[in-house]
Amino acid sequence: GQKVIVPGYDVGVSHPGGFAELARVPADWVMPLPSGLTLKEAMAIGTAGFTAALSLEVLEHNGLRPQNGTVIVTGATGGVGSTAVAMLAQSASTGKTSEHAYLRQLGATEILSREEVSAESTRPLESERWAGAVDPVGGPTTAYLIRTMKYGASIALSGLTGGNTIATTVYPFILRNVNLLGIDSVYTPMERRTKTWQRLATDLKPRGLLDSIAVETDLEGVPTVCADILQGKVRGRTLVRLA
């Protein structure tokens, strides 16, 4: 009778049952629903929101503080990006000009175009701009971030929608002490997973979670949503009603 969640691991990837009403999963994948979240809120956060929270925690661990300056979130209308913007209320980058109002509603104070943050450059270093970065995009965007981070700043990298290759040099790392930090949310150890989810129920709970970030569909709508995701037409998180 206890309320539990199973975010991440192999569900929906190599373990069937992602859209099932009843499913059998290994016991060590299951964690109690954190106090302060409903089941619906937990699924609106999902693996994407958990990834965003892990990104913020690793940036904090590496010295990020509010007084350090502006944090940039790339891919800001996606699942990781939207929840990260809602947690941070900082700068955001998107290729969807129609979604500026949405990002400002989540708390973004500055919005950059995709072209600006993915432009290639022959310069190994550019003006120091960012105190931290949440980057689920990868590719040329990550290369831009590496060139423009402030001294000692860190990038939390969790995705590759912009590509899996990064063209960079060693200069930002040895002259500005920049840190490129990898984020994996699928197999995060349960002890850390539990602590991070508790923060998602308290100080890192995304603003506008059910009002702005999450939308709903039924099972019949899943193929359409999946097609829209591949075409970059979906923002935030999509909840699937099973019954």
Side-chain angles (χ1 to χ4, degrees):
Q2 184 179 11
K3 293 181 179 180
V4 297
I5 58 176
V6 186
Y9 296 105
D10 290 337
V11 174
V13 181
S14 59
H15 187 91
F19 296 132
E21 290 187 69
L22 297 173
R24 184 200 299 248
V25 298
D28 56 4
W29 292 4
V30 181
M31 62 173 287
L33 177 71
S35 176
L37 288 178
T38 65
L39 287 171
K40 186 174 183 178
E41 287 174 329
M43 290 301 96
I45 291 170
T47 301
F50 177 56
T51 302
L54 286 174
S55 299
L56 297 188
E57 286 189 327
V58 76
L59 292 178
E60 291 173 344
H61 180 75
N62 281 271
L64 179 66
R65 300 293 183 270
Q67 62 269 24
N68 293 8
T70 302
V71 177
I72 183 171
V73 178
T74 65
T77 61
V80 176
S82 292
T83 49
V85 170
M87 295 174 196
L88 277 164
Q90 297 262 355
S91 290
S93 164
T94 181
K96 304 172 185 175
T97 56
S98 61
E99 301 293 3
H100 287 197
Y102 165 71
L103 292 173
R104 295 198 184 281
Q105 184 179 2
L106 296 183
T109 57
E110 178 184 9
I111 301 174
L112 289 78
S113 69
R114 178 185 296 160
E115 290 72 24
E116 182 175 354
V117 301
S118 62
E120 296 185 5
S121 174
T122 58
R123 291 175 292 177
L125 292 169
E126 297 181 25
S127 298
E128 297 181 50
R129 189 166 184 181
W130 312 112
V134 177
D135 180 22
V137 175
T141 296
T142 304
Y144 161 83
L145 294 174
I146 293 171
R147 296 192 304 268
T148 55
M149 302 306 291
K150 290 184 176 183
Y151 185 89
S154 300
I155 304 163
L157 176 62
S158 62
L160 44 68
T161 58
N164 60 6
T165 302
I166 302 170
T168 188
T169 70
V170 300
Y171 291 109
F173 303 103
I174 63 176
L175 297 181
R176 287 190 183 162
N177 200 31
V178 170
N179 304 297
L180 183 60
L181 309 169
I183 304 297
D184 168 63
S185 56
V186 178
Y187 295 109
T188 303
M190 184 58 74
E191 181 180 2
R192 184 181 180 193
R193 182 181 295 265
T194 302
K195 291 179 180 178
T196 301
W197 269 97
Q198 194 55 55
R199 290 195 66 186
L200 281 163
T202 51
D203 65 305
L204 290 183
K205 189 173 184 178
R207 69 179 71 190
L209 180 60
L210 297 183
D211 298 330
S212 302
I213 296 175
V215 297
E216 294 188 35
T217 187
D218 55 19
L219 281 169
E220 292 182 356
V222 168
T224 299
V225 173
C226 290
D228 287 343
I229 289 173
L230 292 176
Q231 296 179 40
K233 295 180 178 179
V234 171
R235 73 182 188 193
R237 301 275 297 144
T238 300
L239 292 173
V240 181
R241 295 189 303 273
L242 300 181

